[in-house]
Amino acid sequence: MDELRELYQQVILDHNKNPRNFGELANASHHAEGYNPLCGDRIHLFLRVADNIIQDIRFTGQGCAISKASASIMTSLVKGKSTTQAQELFDKFLQLITSDPTQPVEVSGLDRLVVFAGVREFPLRVKCASLAWHTLKSALSESGAVVTTE
Amino acid sequence: MSPHSTAAARLEVERIRRDFPILQSRVRGKPLVYLDNAATSQKPQVVIDALVYYYCTQNANVHRGVYYLSEAATRAYEGGRETVRRFLNAASTREIIFVRGATEGINLVAHGYGRRHLRAGDEIIITAMEHHSNIVPWQLLCEATGAKLRVIPINGDGEWIWEEAVKLFNPKTKFVAAVHISNSLGTINPIARLIRLAHEWQVPVLVDGAQAVPHQPVDVAALDCDFYTFSGHKAFGPTGIGVLYGKETLLEKMAPYQAGGDMIKSVTFAKTTYNDLPYRFEAGTPNIAGVVGLAKALEYLRNVGYDKIAAHEQELLDYATAALATLKPLRIIGTARTKASVVSFVLDGIHPHDVGTILDRDGIAIRTGHHCTQPVMEFFNVPATSRASFAFYNTTREIDALVEGLHKVIKIMAA
Ligand SMILES: Cc1ncc(COP(=O)(O)O)c(C=O)c1O
C-alpha cells in the first residue's frame, strides 16, 4: 500500500485528472507521436521551437495515470527551456526512474520530477513514465517516426 | 448456486486446487489470485510429473534410433498423437499435426493451403473479433497473392452480425478463418453455423480454438471444420506445444511449410520426396516432452469432466458479472448471450494499466491491455480493457478479492 501511495502521489493523480498543456498547438514547428503497445497509450506532442528554445508545447492522447501525469509535468517543465536543457532533464529523469529503489533519491536538478521516484519500485511502469520524454526527443530530432516503447 | 449443479455433479474446487502447486503460492506476501487464464493456464502436478518422468526415463530423439530409448520416446510421442486424435474425435492420427501453438497452426495453413490455392481477386473471410494471430497471417497471404480480406462485423454486445456475415459470401470467397471463443470478449461464437454456411459455398474453414479447448469439448467430426488449432499452454499443458487438426484430403493438397528433418522421405540433389502425413508438416526434432505433457493435460481435463467444468465456470461467470455490476464506474465490454468465463471491463476515468498495477500489489493477476485484439478495442472505442478470465480452479472467494481490490483501485485513483 505504501509503495502504491508513493507511485500514485497526489501530484500525479492531480495531473492525471487535470493535465496541463493538453490540446493541440496551432503553428507547431515540431510534432511526434509516441505509442506504448503494452497498454495502448498514445501521445501526440506539438512544439513551437525558435532559436533553440521551446516556446510552447502541448500534447494530446490517452494513457494511464503515470504516462499522462508524466506528459503533463514534462510539458510544464520544458516550456521556455532550451532544447539542450530539455535533453539534460530527460537524462536525469531516466536515471531517476531506473535507479536502485533501495538507494536515496538524487534530487538535484530534478525539480518537480521527484514525484516519479515511486516508479523505481515498478519496473513495468518505467515505459509509461518515459513515453512522453522519448516522444519529445523524437520531435526535437525531427525524425517524424512514431516512437514506440517496445 | 446454479440450479443445474446437483451435489453429486459439483466440482470439488478445493480438491482440484490442490492438484496445482502454483495455486498454493504467495506473491508479494499475499495468496496468489490468478485470473489471467485466457493468457495461459496453470499446470497440474500430473503434467509436471509427466515432463519429469519423460526426461528421467525416456528422453531420446524420435523416429530415428534403433535402440530402446528412442523406441520409448517415439511411443510416448505417437501415443500423445493418438490421445489428441481421440480428444478431438479426428478420423485419423494422420490429421493431427504438432505445432508450437495456435499461432503456428494458423500460419501453417495460411502458408501451406493459402499460397497454393488462393489467387489475386479471391476473398478470405475473417471476423472483427479475431486475435492478431488470426489476422496477420491472412494479411501476409493477401500481400503475397493479391487476395482480399473481408471482415464479419460485430454488434455492441460483441456478437457476430449474422445478416452481414451471409452477405460477405460470394463466388470469390475462398477461405474462412474464425475464432471459436473470443479471448477479449468471451463470446462463444456459433461456429458450426458459420461452417455450414461456408460449406454451402464450398469454402474451407479454419477454427481458432485457442480459447475453446480449456472450456468445452471439441468434436471436429461433428463440427465438420476443415482445420482446427489450439495451444497446449492455455489448456493446462506446457508452453511451446500446440495442435493443428486438418482434414486429410486438404492436408494432402498443401505445400510444405517448414522444410528439413522428419518432413522428408528422401533427398537427392535432384529431387526431394516429402514424407507422409502428418510428418510432412513436422520439420525438425519435435517438442516430444511437450506432446507428453499435453497428452497428460488433456487426460486430466477429461477426468475432471467438461460437464462439471462448464457448470462451475458458468457459476463463476454469473457471480463475477453480478459482483462487478455493483461497482458504479465499471462497464463490462462483451455482453454476448453465450459467454465463456471471461470478463473484460473498463473503469470510468481509470486506465486499465493502473488497475493492473494496484491489483498486483494484492497478489491478484489480471490482464490489462488490448489482448492482441486491437480491432476490438477500436470498435468499442477504448484504448484497452482489464480482463479477468477464470479457469475451473478459480473460486468465488477469488472474485471477492478482485472486487475488493477494485474498490481499492477506485479509492486510490480518486484521491
Ligand atoms: C483466440 C486466440 N487465438 C490465438 C492465440 C495465440 O495463441 P498462442 O500464442 O499460444 O499461439 C490466442 C492467445 O492469446 C488466443 O486467445
Side-chain angles (χ1 to χ4, degrees), chain B residues 106 123-139 142 148-154 160 164-165 168-169 173 175-179 194 206 375:
Chain B
I106 296 163
E123 293 180 359
I124 301 163
I125 293 179
I126 63 169
T127 87
M129 63 170 85
E130 298 308 315
H131 189 278
H132 295 168
S133 294
N134 204 25
I135 300 174
V136 185
W138 306 110
Q139 286 175 330
C142 287
K148 278 203 194 66
L149 269 192
R150 307 292 302 274
V151 183
I152 298 174
I154 54 175
W160 294 343
E164 299 294 324
L168 288 181
F169 283 85
T173 311
F175 203 84
V176 175
V179 68
L194 183 65
L206 172 137

Side-chain angles (χ1 to χ4, degrees), chain A residues 8-61:
Chain A
Y8 292 108
Q9 290 197 30
Q10 206 58 51
V11 178
I12 289 180
L13 293 173
D14 174 51
H15 277 268
N16 175 42
K17 284 208 192 99
N18 314 295
R20 323 292 197 266
N21 306 306
F22 194 81
E24 297 199 359
L25 184 65
N27 59 45
S29 60
H30 295 63
H31 166 250
E33 181 183 0
Y35 180 56
N36 181 350
L38 181 68
C39 44
D41 290 359
R42 201 177 280 281
I43 177 176
H44 284 274
L45 204 56
F46 307 88
L47 291 94
R48 201 170 64 244
V49 182
D51 306 326
N52 249 356
I53 301 290
I54 299 170
Q55 311 279 352
D56 204 354
I57 178 167
R58 292 175 75 76
F59 77 101
T60 62

Side-chain angles (χ1 to χ4, degrees), chain B residues 344-415:
Chain B
S344 258
F345 58 89
V346 290
L347 284 169
D348 198 21
I350 305 177
H351 193 281
H353 215 176
D354 297 314
V355 176
T357 289
I358 296 172
L359 290 178
D360 172 58
R361 291 284 135 167
D362 281 339
I364 303 168
I366 64 157
R367 182 59 141 256
T368 56
H370 52 58
H371 321 295
C372 298
T373 56
Q374 283 186 331
V376 171
M377 300 299 120
E378 213 159 287
F379 175 79
F380 285 98
N381 199 22
V382 293
T385 73
S386 301
R387 178 188 73 186
S389 53
F390 312 111
F392 57 86
Y393 46 60
N394 288 123
T395 63
T396 51
R397 190 184 67 233
E398 291 178 307
I399 294 168
D400 293 340
L402 170 68
V403 172
E404 207 173 299
L406 290 173
H407 277 295
K408 190 188 268 185
V409 170
I410 294 166
K411 196 166 138 224
I412 290 178
M413 296 307 292

Side-chain angles (χ1 to χ4, degrees), chain B residues 75-108:
Chain B
R75 211 177 320 113
Y77 184 67
E78 293 305 327
R81 199 187 305 275
E82 171 58 19
T83 302
V84 172
R85 184 202 66 75
R86 257 184 285 128
F87 182 83
L88 291 178
N89 193 27
S92 151
T93 48
R94 291 163 61 83
E95 301 182 320
I96 304 298
I97 296 157
F98 287 119
V99 288
R100 281 188 298 137
T103 303
E104 190 177 36
I106 296 163
N107 276 282
L108 198 163

